[in-house]
Amino acid sequence: PISIQKPRDGLLAMKYTVLDLPLTQLPHQHSSLVSRNTLTVVGGKFKSRGQLSKFTWTELSLKWENGSKFSPNFAHACSVKLGVDVHVILGGERTVDGQQISGKGVVKINTTEEKVYALNPITHSRVSHDCELLNKSVVLVSGGLAQIGEDPSAVLKDELYNITGSGEVVKVLDLEHSL
């Protein structure tokens, strides 16, 4: 990867640094989580768990709230930022017994504590979708397909997801009211 020293100074005579990427799982099709001046990459094709801070990449040791190791087995998911260091990742494609399947899973990640919390699933398994935090407690999960490679006209209904507590679907919108 390349790090641009002062990106706002313009393109002429831009100074950059080529960074060493010591991660054992390279980021590709991952979720990017930004907290303060830190970039965290989680999941994707190679189940990445890395963090870039002050031009240095380090491996993350993400653990479930009970202390067991967390393996970020998702790609093509969406994420929202709840707080400075707290993010929620919804849906995405997972590999189960060598098969790619779309998922309903929802996890909350605290990048400072390096802890992961399981929340209740969304209604529809979906990939290549998007999500947006509407207020302090509700996320709009919009679009996407039930599986990668499906007919693009088979877009799923949007749903509203409450991220407070253990999480739950508030409402699945009718297709005519979905984005």
Side-chain angles (χ1 to χ4, degrees), residues 72-120:
N73 185 14
F74 51 82
H76 306 288
C78 73
S79 64
V80 293
K81 185 174 183 172
L82 302 183
V84 174
D85 301 324
V86 180
H87 306 265
V88 173
I89 298 176
L90 301 101
E93 184 180 65
R94 286 155 172 57
T95 304
V96 177
D97 297 328
Q99 298 289 323
Q100 300 295 99
I101 61 166
S102 61
K104 300 177 182 182
V106 180
V107 293
K108 181 166 63 171
I109 298 176
N110 184 312
T111 56
T112 301
E113 296 175 355
E114 296 187 14
K115 285 196 177 172
V116 180
Y117 305 87
L119 301 179
N120 288 324

Side-chain angles (χ1 to χ4, degrees), residues 10-75:
L11 295 175
L12 298 176
M14 183 182 298
K15 293 181 182 179
Y16 64 91
T17 306
V18 177
L19 300 173
D20 181 28
L21 191 60
L23 303 179
T24 56
Q25 299 128 334
L26 299 175
H28 181 62
Q29 300 172 342
H30 59 279
S31 293
S32 298
L33 313 176
V34 177
S35 301
R36 297 184 183 124
N37 63 348
T38 302
L39 169 66
T40 302
V41 293
V42 180
K45 186 174 182 180
F46 304 115
K47 301 177 186 174
S48 301
R49 291 183 318 265
Q51 196 167 62
L52 175 65
S53 181
K54 298 181 183 174
F55 305 108
T56 305
W57 280 100
T58 55
E59 288 279 342
L60 280 179
S61 178
L62 292 171
K63 299 206 181 305
W64 288 105
E65 62 183 315
N66 67 8
S68 63
K69 184 179 177 184
F70 172 72
S71 179
N73 185 14
F74 51 82

